[in-house]
Amino acid sequence: MTNPQGVGIDQGSYEKLITEVTEWVTGPGEDWADRIEASGEVPEELWSELRERGYLSMAAPQRLGGKGLSFEQWLGLMEIFSRSHASVRMIVHVVNGTWRAMDPWATEEQRDQFVRPSVAGTKKVAFALTEPGNGTGADISCSVEREGDTYYLSGEKHLITFGVRCDYWLLAARLAGSTGHEGTVALMVPRDVPGVRVEDTSQTMGVTGTDHAHMIFDRAPVPVANRLGEEGQGLQVALGGFLLPSRVSVAMSCVGLAERAQELAYDYAERRVTFGKSLTQRQAIQFMLAENEADIEAAKQLILYAAREWEAGSPRSQALSSMAKMTAVSMLGRVTDKALQIHGGLGYWKTEKIERVYRDARAQRFEEGTNEIQKMVVFRELQKTKTR
């Protein structure tokens, strides 16, 4: 296994990148947002633009063709991208993260076949863990039977982001008849593999345009050469190097979206006049905006602390990543609710940008694990400290 963490770029180059991304998000990014909401789809041209601008290869190390940002630097950009349309954020977040699951376990041949094309944005990889009939972990039931150099894959996956338009599914399954973590395998499954039926389940409340798939496999053949790691390491591949930093990244996306909601609320309150005064002159509104500001900053600082501890290899990283995610998600719910309330009834209309922000915010409640899951992780880590 290799160390997936980037060493970072110099401060001058990073500040230029921050400026560039901010200008894109507030300019072309807003145009894309309007287009996506109007059509209900994310066109392939958006993927191409993000790829050509290098936005899909920022977090990966230079040896994989990435820009080599440190994790904390990447989070600063995630914060900005998250102020854009949720589907823009989703593309950038996923592509800049899936390499973390693949790279530590890949052979050099597999890096050339899967990892580097993913970082370059020329091949799309969808993370396929969740199943309809169980949780997301050791109880997965999607199974494989090995015959010579081929695994035959059977079972179902659902809620798979970009699972319709991807080139490969990075899929966790288990050897038929095995239980628990033992016997799990991680496979790079080609999208066009025979023996699979893909259903497009993209009609969601928010995050308009991001495709989601339900896949049903019936002895779909997958080369053993497409396995990452060894038999028995499937969940380590799926969860170990990917889920922890991804939770921190999602937490920072909550901060970015909350900042956008706060910006919209403040701007509206300044221009909205009732009984001769703007809303910003009303103490009730002042208090709501002040509470939002403190809420956002508190979550942000916990997230940055979790990021630094993860980069340092701290044993507290597991607990801190879940603390950051659950704190940020709860904060986002409070901030967007107040922001919509400040808009009054008008905020409920699709003509106001806060309406989309409010819908998109709800998706963060289950991305990379619900708050209930995060609390279980935190308590489990707490128990470890008490039994030493």
Side-chain angles (χ1 to χ4, degrees):
M1 291 176 61
T2 58
N3 186 344
Q5 301 173 43
V7 296
I9 61 176
D10 67 88
Q11 189 60 26
S13 298
Y14 182 61
E15 289 175 359
K16 288 180 181 177
L17 189 55
I18 287 284
T19 299
E20 177 193 330
V21 171
T22 300
E23 291 175 349
W24 186 87
V25 165
T26 56
E30 282 296 292
D31 295 336
W32 279 116
D34 293 339
R35 182 174 171 182
I36 293 168
E37 286 298 309
S39 67
E41 297 179 352
V42 173
E44 194 63 28
E45 302 97 278
L46 174 57
W47 285 80
S48 297
E49 182 173 334
L50 293 170
R51 182 181 67 248
E52 290 164 5
R53 296 185 72 89
Y55 295 164
L56 303 182
S57 55
M58 296 187 295
Q62 293 179 355
R63 63 181 172 80
L64 296 178
K67 196 173 289 290
L69 299 177
S70 70
F71 187 51
E72 192 169 347
Q73 287 176 332
W74 159 241
L75 289 180
L77 290 166
M78 185 80 267
E79 180 182 355
I80 297 169
F81 276 114
S82 300
R83 298 170 191 163
S84 185
H85 191 280
S87 282
V88 172
R89 192 275 304 178
M90 187 69 81
I91 295 170
V92 175
H93 163 69
V94 169
V95 180
N96 277 281
T98 46
W99 66 270
R100 295 186 190 277
M102 296 183 285
D103 180 56
W105 308 90
T107 64
E108 200 57 35
E109 291 76 17
Q110 288 174 326
R111 288 192 183 96
D112 287 338
Q113 185 179 0
F114 307 123
V115 186
R116 290 187 176 93
S118 173
V119 170
T122 57
K123 296 291 184 182
K124 299 182 181 71
V125 176
F127 186 70
L129 178 62
T130 305
E131 299 178 2
N134 45 46
T136 303
D139 61 341
I140 58 172
S141 56
C142 205
S143 66
V144 293
E145 295 180 336
R146 182 170 178 174
E147 297 178 10
D149 293 331
T150 302
Y151 288 116
Y152 289 91
L153 173 64
S154 299
E156 296 182 53
K157 297 289 183 181
H158 79 157
L159 307 180
I160 306 305
T161 304
F162 305 132
V164 177
R165 70 165 76 206
C166 67
D167 297 289
Y168 292 96
W169 294 296
L170 169 51
L171 184 144
R174 67 169 58 259
L175 297 174
S178 67
T179 59
H181 288 257
E182 295 183 6
T184 58
V185 292
L187 302 174
M188 299 299 299
V189 181
R191 169 66 176 81
D192 59 358
V193 66
V196 63
R197 185 168 83 249
V198 180
E199 300 174 0
D200 189 341
T201 57
S202 301
Q203 298 302 310
T204 51
M205 177 190 295
V207 198
T208 304
T210 291
D211 71 81
H212 297 86
H214 181 172
M215 296 100 72
I216 302 171
F217 299 95
D218 182 11
R219 287 187 56 81
V222 183
V224 172
N226 284 25
R227 187 188 69 219
L228 295 172
E230 301 298 325
E231 292 182 352
Q233 294 181 321
L235 286 180
Q236 288 178 261
V237 175
L239 304 178
F242 171 73
L243 192 59
L244 190 156
S246 187
R247 280 175 174 166
V248 180
S249 184
V250 170
M252 187 57 88
S253 77
C254 293
V255 168
L257 192 57
E259 288 171 338
R260 179 58 171 149
Q262 175 79 331
E263 177 185 57
L264 292 170
Y266 187 90
D267 289 349
Y268 179 81
E270 269 207 317
R271 68 176 185 270
R272 173 64 168 141
V273 175
T274 62
F275 303 102
K277 290 184 179 181
S278 70
L279 293 185
T280 50
Q281 294 176 281
R282 307 287 182 186
Q283 190 177 65
I285 303 301
Q286 293 171 357
F287 282 6
M288 291 168 76
L289 292 168
E291 288 166 355
N292 278 359
E293 198 70 9
D295 226 359
I296 293 168
E297 189 62 29
K300 182 176 179 178
Q301 293 308 315
L302 175 58
I303 293 162
L304 291 174
Y305 176 56
R308 289 190 290 269
E309 288 293 284
W310 180 72
E311 285 193 294
S314 168
R316 297 195 67 216
S317 295
Q318 187 76 258
L320 285 169
S321 69
S322 286
M323 289 181 200
K325 170 66 168 43
M326 73 186 208
T327 298
V329 164
S330 297
M331 172 277 296
L332 180 59
R334 292 189 296 270
V335 168
T336 52
D337 189 65
K338 290 191 186 91
L340 184 65
Q341 188 68 17
I342 288 170
H343 280 74
L346 192 62
Y348 200 65
W349 263 249
K350 290 184 180 292
T351 51
E352 293 297 315
K353 294 184 184 298
I354 190 62
E355 184 272 343
R356 170 173 57 82
V357 170
Y358 188 82
R359 281 187 289 111
D360 288 345
R362 190 60 179 80
Q364 308 291 58
R365 294 272 289 274
F366 50 81
E367 190 175 348
E368 308 298 30
T370 64
N371 266 13
E372 290 71 29
I373 291 294
Q374 311 310 328
K375 292 171 186 177
M376 289 172 60
V377 172
V378 173
F379 183 74
R380 183 191 66 205
E381 296 301 308
L382 172 64
Q383 277 189 311
K384 289 178 182 179
T385 66
K386 300 302 182 184
T387 55
R388 286 173 187 166

